[in-house]
Amino acid sequence: MSSSSGPLIEELQCTICLDVFTDPVSTPCRHNFCKTCLNKHWDNSQTCNCPYCKETFNQRPDLKINTTLQEFVDHYKKKSPEKKTEVLCDYCEETQLKALKLCLVCQSSYCETHLQPHLRVASLKKHKLMDPVSNLEDYIYQKHERPLELFCRDDQTCVCLMCTATDHKNHNTVPVEEESEEKKTQLLKDVQQMIQDRIKKIQDIKHSAEVRKINTEKEKAAHVELFTDLIRSTERCQTELLEMMVEQQKAAEKQEQKLTEELEHEIIELKMSNTELEQLSHTEDHLHLLQIYSLLCSPTNTRSWPEIRMKTDESLENLRKALTQLQETLDEKLMQTVSTELKWMQQYAVDVTLDPDTANPYLILSDDRKQVRHGEIKQKLPENPKRFDRDVCVLGKEGFSSGSFYFKVQVKGKTEWDLGVARESINRKGKIPLCPSYGYWTVWLRNGNEYAALCDTPVSLSLRVKPQRVGVFVDYEEGLVSFYDVESCSHIYSYTGQSFTDKLYPYFSPCNNDGGENSSPLIITPVIHEFTRLTAVETLDKNKDYDDYD
C-alpha cells in the first residue's frame, strides 16, 4: 500500500492483510477486519481474541458485515483508480523509458538518467518535482502557463504564482501541499464523525426496537389479561346460570312431589268417601245421609291443575329472563372489549390510497384515490402486469412487510363487496380464488345479507347487524388478520396463525354494479381518535376508564 495514501486509507485498511477492507466486520471491542482474514486468524488460533488489542472473547462472535464501513470502502474504491497509466520520459530518443519524475516548471517527464540535471544543477534544483502523471494539463494554469502550486482560500481554487500578482492579488493563498494536508485532515475528521454518527444511529435504532418490543409485550399482556377477564366473566355467568337452573329444577321437583302427595292424599279421602257412600246406599237411615251429604261432596285441600300450570309457567319465565340478562351482560362485556381493541388499534392507523396501476378496467377511482366503484363500461387502460384483468378489484398503493397496520372502509349501501389484504406475489390475471392458499385473506358480502370469511373452506358468518364501516387490522409477525364492525363495536372474523413472507397490500372489490343495486362505492375513511359508538359504549360502564388506550 502506497504511503501517499495518507491517514485516510489507514481507517479503511485491515491490519491483518494490510489492504483495503473486503467485507469488513467489527469485533465486540469495535476493531475492524476483513471477514475472511478474521475467520482465518481465529481458525488458526487456540483462543478467540482481537488481533489488534488482544482482547479475548468467551464465545466466537457472530460476524456480520459492517454496512456503514462497507459504504466508505466502496466509495473509496470507486474514487481511487485501480491502475495508473504509465508515463514515459519525454527526452529518450530511441526506446522511451518509464518516467521517474515530472517537473512542473519545465512541464516535462524524466527517466532516471534525464532527471540527473535537476538533481545536480543549482537552478534546476529549485524546480517543483512530482510523481509523473498523464494529465499534466490539469496541473498547469493554461493562461499563464505556470504550475498550479498555490491555493486561493478566498476563491477556493488552485492558482499559479503569477495569479497572485493579478486576479488574486491580496488574496489569502497558501501552498497546495499545505491546503491538501488540512483538507485531508478535515476530511478524515468528517469521515470519523460520520462513522460515529451512524454508529450512534444504529444504537438508537436498536434501543428504539428494544423499547418497542417491551411495549408490544406489555400491550400483549394487557390484552391477554383483558380477554382472560372476559372468559372468566363468561364462565362465572355460565356457572351462576347453571346453578340457578339446578336450583329451580330442584324447587320444581320438590313442588311436584308435594303436589303429587297432596293429590294422592285427596284420592285416598275420595276413595273413603266413595266407600262410605256405598255403605250408606244400602241403609234406610235417610236422615243421616242428608246430614253428611255436604261433607262427602266437598273434599278438603283440593288444588286445581290450572294453578299448578301457572306456577310452572312462572318458573320458565324466570329462566328466560335470566338467560336474557346473561346474554345482555355478555354482549355488553364483548362490546366493551371490542371497543377497547378498536381504540388500541388506532395507533397503527395507516393512510391507505388506491393504486390505479392495479385497478380492473371496469373500476372507477376517485381523484383522491379513496373511493372505488364499478362503472359497467370497460375503460381503455395501458397494459400493466400489476393490473387485475378479470376480477373487479384493486389494491392499495402502500405495502407492508412488518409490524401492524389498521384501516377502515365504508361499505354503506352496498349489497356485495370484498375486503381484506393480499400478498404482493398474487396472480392478477384470470379468475382467482379468494383464499389464503392463493394469497388472499378476505371477507365478503353477497345477496345483501350473506357474509363469509373466505378461508380455504369458506366460513359462513352470522352478523346481528349489517356493518356500515369495516375495520381491518393486520399484525404481520403474529400472522393475524382481523375484521371488525366499527359502528356496532363487534368482531366479524379473524385469520390467525398465518405465515406471511411477501409484502401485504390492502385489497378492495366493490363487485359488479348489478344494474344500480350495488352502485355505492367503497370508501377508505380516515381513522380518527373519536368513535361516536365507542363513546356510547363507554357510558355502559362508567366505572371503567378506557382513556389509557387512546
Side-chain angles (χ1 to χ4, degrees):
M1 186 64 63
S2 172
S3 61
S4 64
S5 300
L8 176 60
I9 191 59
E10 293 179 1
E11 299 298 325
L12 304 177
Q13 186 177 11
C14 174
T15 56
I16 298 178
C17 66
L18 301 180
D19 205 345
V20 177
F21 289 120
T22 300
D23 294 334
V25 294
S26 301
T27 60
C29 53
R30 297 191 180 280
H31 293 123
N32 304 310
F33 307 92
C34 297
K35 185 175 182 179
T36 302
C37 295
L38 188 56
N39 278 325
K40 285 183 178 179
H41 174 79
W42 284 344
D43 291 340
N44 298 325
S45 176
Q46 295 182 347
T47 59
C48 188
N49 59 15
C50 173
Y52 186 82
C53 68
K54 307 304 179 184
E55 179 179 343
T56 302
F57 311 117
N58 294 329
Q59 286 186 321
R60 184 164 177 165
D62 181 17
L63 300 177
K64 290 182 173 58
I65 302 298
N66 186 327
T67 54
T68 303
L69 187 55
Q70 183 68 59
E71 289 177 5
F72 284 109
V73 171
D74 294 342
H75 180 74
Y76 170 79
K77 289 181 177 179
K78 190 179 295 183
K79 294 293 183 181
S80 301
E82 295 182 1
K83 185 177 182 180
K84 295 182 179 179
T85 304
E86 188 176 83
V87 179
L88 303 178
C89 176
D90 293 330
Y91 286 85
C92 290
E93 294 182 355
E94 295 182 358
T95 303
Q96 283 185 302
L97 300 178
K98 182 180 178 181
L100 183 64
K101 288 292 181 181
L102 180 148
C103 177
L104 287 175
V105 177
C106 301
Q107 299 184 25
S108 299
S109 300
Y110 303 95
C111 64
E112 185 176 3
T113 301
H114 291 110
L115 181 64
Q116 293 305 312
H118 279 79
L119 302 179
R120 295 195 311 268
V121 180
S123 59
L124 295 178
K125 284 183 178 181
K126 296 179 181 179
H127 287 193
K128 187 175 182 63
L129 299 176
M130 60 175 285
D131 291 334
V133 294
S134 59
N135 56 333
L136 175 61
E137 63 276 5
D138 293 341
Y139 294 81
I140 303 298
Y141 186 45
Q142 300 300 323
K143 181 180 180 180
H144 298 150
E145 295 185 350
R146 294 290 186 90
L148 295 168
E149 53 187 336
L150 297 173
F151 183 81
C152 177
R153 287 179 171 171
D154 293 340
D155 296 333
Q156 291 293 300
T157 185
C158 292
V159 298
C160 69
L161 186 60
M162 190 175 290
C163 291
T164 60
T166 55
D167 297 340
H168 297 270
K169 186 178 181 180
N170 299 325
H171 285 193
N172 181 15
T173 58
V174 295
V176 292
E177 293 86 357
E178 179 182 339
E179 183 67 17
S180 176
E181 287 300 322
E182 286 192 15
K183 278 188 162 43
K184 192 186 296 182
T185 301
Q186 183 59 46
L187 179 60
L188 178 61
K189 289 181 180 178
D190 291 345
V191 171
Q192 290 288 351
Q193 185 60 48
M194 290 170 68
I195 291 173
Q196 294 302 317
D197 291 345
R198 281 155 178 76
I199 291 174
K200 177 65 165 54
K201 184 65 176 177
I202 290 173
Q203 293 173 343
D204 291 343
I205 291 173
K206 288 182 177 179
H207 176 70
S208 176
E210 288 295 326
V211 171
R212 185 174 63 252
K213 182 178 179 181
I214 293 172
N215 290 338
T216 300
E217 291 300 323
K218 289 181 178 178
E219 290 172 357
K220 286 182 179 178
H223 282 75
V224 168
E225 183 178 357
L226 185 64
F227 280 103
T228 301
D229 289 343
L230 178 60
I231 292 171
R232 288 173 179 171
S233 177
T234 303
E235 291 175 346
R236 184 172 61 254
C237 291
Q238 289 177 338
T239 302
E240 292 175 356
L241 175 62
L242 291 174
E243 290 177 350
M244 181 177 65
M245 292 175 67
V246 170
E247 290 177 357
Q248 290 184 344
Q249 177 66 21
K250 288 180 178 180
E253 290 176 354
K254 186 176 180 180
Q255 184 182 29
E256 290 169 357
Q257 183 179 359
K258 181 180 179 181
L259 290 173
T260 301
E261 291 176 351
E262 291 178 355
L263 289 171
E264 288 176 346
H265 181 70
E266 290 182 8
I267 290 172
I268 293 172
E269 290 183 346
L270 289 171
K271 285 182 176 180
M272 291 175 62
S273 299
N274 184 60
T275 301
E276 190 170 354
L277 281 172
E278 288 181 352
Q279 292 176 351
L280 288 174
S281 65
H282 299 291
T283 182
E284 294 181 355
D285 192 350
H286 303 291
L287 179 61
H288 178 63
L289 177 62
L290 293 175
Q291 288 175 344
I292 64 171
Y293 176 78
S294 59
L295 294 176
L296 294 175
C297 292
S298 303
T300 59
N301 300 325
T302 301
R303 190 184 300 270
S304 64
W305 282 106
E307 180 182 353
I308 297 173
R309 176 60 62 91
M310 184 176 63
K311 288 183 176 291
T312 304
D313 292 342
E314 183 180 351
S315 297
L316 291 173
E317 182 62 28
N318 290 336
L319 183 58
R320 291 192 190 97
K321 288 181 179 179
L323 287 171
T324 302
Q325 184 178 1
L326 174 61
Q327 185 63 51
E328 290 175 352
T329 301
L330 292 177
D331 289 346
E332 178 183 328
K333 287 184 177 293
L334 184 59
M335 189 177 295
Q336 291 172 352
T337 301
V338 175
S339 171
T340 302
E341 192 80 6
L342 287 171
K343 276 200 167 185
W344 172 78
M345 289 175 188
Q346 289 177 112
Q347 64 181 307
Y348 300 107
V350 291
D351 184 19
V352 175
T353 55
L354 301 172
D355 184 0
D357 290 340
T358 67
N360 179 279
Y362 282 94
L363 295 182
I364 298 176
L365 276 56
S366 62
D367 293 338
D368 62 359
R369 303 289 189 263
K370 293 288 186 180
Q371 301 185 27
V372 57
R373 62 184 177 86
H374 188 270
E376 292 190 329
I377 299 176
K378 187 175 183 179
Q379 305 171 79
K380 292 183 179 179
L381 299 176
E383 183 61 30
N384 193 316
K386 295 167 57 179
R387 190 181 309 284
F388 293 92
D389 66 348
R390 182 169 177 180
D391 287 354
V392 285
C393 55
V394 60
L395 297 182
K397 185 74 172 177
E398 300 76 16
F400 305 89
S401 57
S402 64
S404 300
F405 61 95
Y406 175 70
F407 61 95
K408 292 192 306 181
V409 183
Q410 179 176 306
V411 296
K412 184 178 180 180
K414 298 194 66 61
T415 58
E416 294 188 351
W417 50 257
D418 307 341
L419 282 179
V421 293
R423 67 183 180 214
E424 187 175 27
S425 61
I426 53 174
N427 178 25
R428 307 179 189 207
K429 307 302 179 183
K431 189 64 178 176
I432 307 165
L434 291 184
C435 62
S437 296
Y438 287 84
Y440 295 86
W441 292 266
T442 60
V443 296
W444 77 6
L445 167 66
R446 291 293 184 270
N447 302 320
N449 59 1
E450 298 174 6
Y451 297 89
L454 303 183
C455 305
D456 292 333
T457 301
V459 177
S460 179
L461 304 175
S462 178
L463 306 184
R464 290 194 294 171
V465 295
K466 185 180 179 69
Q468 303 298 306
R469 285 186 299 165
V470 176
V472 183
F473 175 76
V474 177
D475 187 326
Y476 194 96
E477 283 73 20
E478 291 294 325
L480 172 69
V481 182
S482 292
F483 299 85
Y484 295 87
D485 180 347
V486 177
E487 301 295 336
S488 66
C489 298
S490 59
H491 174 252
I492 296 175
Y493 188 78
S494 286
Y495 292 89
T496 59
Q498 306 299 304
S499 180
F500 302 133
T501 53
D502 291 7
K503 267 188 178 181
L504 295 179
Y505 288 84
Y507 172 89
F508 311 86
S509 174
C511 298
N512 293 329
N513 189 291
D514 195 19
E517 291 294 324
N518 192 37
S519 60
S520 297
L522 290 178
I523 304 174
I524 302 171
T525 61
V527 179
I528 58 177
H529 290 274
E530 292 181 294
F531 291 143
T532 304
R533 180 59 179 165
L534 300 189
T535 304
V537 170
E538 289 170 4
T539 61
L540 295 174
D541 187 358
K542 295 183 179 179
N543 296 324
K544 184 71 175 177
D545 185 3
Y546 295 103
D547 292 342
D548 293 340
Y549 294 91
D550 286 340

